[in-house]
Amino acid sequence: MTLLTGTNIVQEFNWTCPHCHHAQVVTENRFSQNFRELDISGYRDGRLGLGWRAIICANNLCRELTLSVNVQKATSGPNYTDIPVVGSTPRLVRRLIPEAASKPQPDFIPAPLREDYREACAIVDLSPKAAATLARRCLQGMIRDFCKISKRTLDLEIKALREAVDAGQAPSGVTHEAVDAIDHVRKLGNIGAHMEKDINVIVPVDAGEAGILLQLIEMLFEEWYVARHARITRLAQISMIAAEKEAARLEPAVTQMLIAPPEAEPG
Ligand SMILES: [Zn+2]
C-alpha cells in the first residue's frame, strides 16, 4: 500500500477531517509529508523507513492539525531513495493527532480481530482503502470465528450466514437485523463490487465507506461477542446463586446436627 510516497509527489486528494468531519479537497499548501529510510541495519526484513503526514483542516471553524506516522520497508526508486515499498505491509501506521478513534475492545474478542479493527481505525483518514481492506478481513474473521462459516470468499460467507439465519441454524445472538446490516454494507458501492474478490484485494473506497464498515464491526463486536460474554457471565452468576441457596438450605440441618446438645439421659 502506498500510504506516503516520495516527498516530491504531491497531489490534491479528498479527505474528511477527523476533528470536525468536514469533507474537503486537501490542497498542496495544506499538507506536508515525508518518508525517509532509517540509517540502521540488521532489520530482519531489510531496509526500514519512517514516514509522516500532516494536514491542516481547511474549515475556518476548525483549522486543526491531523498528524499520522508510518513505519515500513523502504526501497530505492529511480528518482527517490526514500519511497516505501508498494504493497508492503507497514510495521506500524498510527494517527497521533487526534488520537486514533478506535474504541477499546474487551480481551474476550480474539486478538487478531481487535488488532485489525484498531489498525483500520488508525488509518481510516490516511488511507481509507487500506482501512477498508483490514475491516473486510476483520469481518471475515468474525464470521469464521463466531459463526463457524468458512468459504472461498467473504461474499459466499455472508450468503451462507444469511441462509443459516433464515433456517434458524445461526449461532445464538446472530439476528436477522445483523445479517441485514452486513448485507446492506455488502451492497455499498465499491465495497460491494469487491466483496466477491479475495479480501486482500485493495478496494478504492472513500473514508465515509470505510467508516461505515468500521461501524458495522463495532456493532457486531457488541451484538455477538459482548452479548455472548454477558450471557455466559449471567448464567454463571445464576448457577452460583443457585448453588449458594442450595448450600444455605442444607446448612441449618447440618449446623443443628453439629451443635445440638446431647439428649438428656433418660431417668
Ligand atoms: Zn476540521
Side-chain angles (χ1 to χ4, degrees):
M1 77 180 73
T2 43
L3 293 174
L4 302 171
T5 49
T7 51
N8 297 331
I9 303 170
V10 177
Q11 289 171 330
E12 292 185 347
F13 53 92
N14 293 322
W15 179 75
T16 300
C17 172
H19 297 277
C20 67
H21 306 289
H22 194 88
Q24 56 202 276
V25 175
V26 178
T27 49
E28 198 180 328
N29 61 336
R30 291 219 177 254
F31 85 100
S32 174
Q33 64 179 24
N34 208 327
F35 186 87
R36 284 271 160 237
E37 186 187 346
L38 297 174
D39 191 16
I40 45 175
S41 57
Y43 180 58
R44 63 184 179 186
D45 290 338
R47 298 162 60 201
L48 206 54
L50 169 69
W52 54 263
R53 180 158 86 168
I55 303 174
I56 301 296
C57 178
N59 174 5
N60 265 335
L61 298 171
C62 176
R63 296 205 292 176
E64 265 285 3
L65 166 70
T66 297
L67 178 69
S68 307
V69 294
N70 71 313
V71 174
Q72 67 189 94
K73 279 180 80 168
T75 189
S76 298
N79 301 314
Y80 312 103
T81 56
D82 56 3
I83 61 172
V85 175
V86 174
S88 78
T89 307
R91 180 72 184 77
L92 171 110
V93 181
R94 191 140 310 160
R95 194 174 77 201
L96 302 181
I97 303 172
E99 282 190 56
S102 62
K103 295 177 185 155
Q105 298 296 338
D107 288 352
F108 52 74
I109 295 174
L113 301 181
R114 281 184 281 133
E115 182 73 5
D116 279 351
Y117 161 75
R118 197 180 54 74
E119 288 285 319
C121 288
I123 58 171
V124 70
D125 307 306
L126 190 67
S127 175
K129 58 187 179 183
T133 303
L134 281 168
R136 282 187 303 153
R137 192 168 81 172
C138 183
L139 179 61
Q140 181 171 62
M142 291 169 92
I143 294 173
R144 290 182 173 184
D145 173 67
F146 195 90
C147 307
K148 311 290 178 222
I149 290 172
S150 188
K151 303 268 178 209
R152 194 169 41 81
T153 66
L154 178 56
D155 194 57
L156 291 174
E157 287 165 337
I158 293 170
K159 284 172 182 159
L161 179 60
R162 154 78 60 199
E163 285 167 15
V165 168
D166 287 346
Q169 288 165 349
S172 158
V174 179
T175 60
H176 275 100
E177 288 80 5
V179 180
D180 285 348
I182 296 172
D183 246 349
H184 181 68
V185 173
R186 185 174 65 87
K187 289 169 186 161
L188 261 184
N190 281 325
I191 293 174
H194 291 75
M195 278 286 188
E196 288 169 27
K197 295 185 180 168
D198 186 87
I199 48 144
N200 291 315
V201 172
I202 291 175
V203 183
V205 298
D206 61 32
E209 284 179 307
I212 289 169
L213 256 178
L214 289 171
Q215 281 177 32
L216 174 70
I217 284 163
E218 286 171 1
M219 187 193 86
L220 295 178
F221 276 160
E222 189 74 32
E223 285 197 8
W224 292 359
Y225 290 94
V226 176
R228 179 176 69 184
H229 184 77
R231 261 197 321 274
I232 292 170
T233 309
R234 266 202 308 274
L235 283 174
Q237 276 169 349
I238 290 168
S239 305
M240 203 174 71
I241 291 166
E244 280 171 2
K245 287 237 185 282
E246 181 66 5
R249 193 177 65 81
L250 294 171
E251 206 170 337
V254 174
T255 314
Q256 213 159 15
M257 214 158 64
L258 290 174
I259 62 168
E263 277 178 32
E265 291 291 321

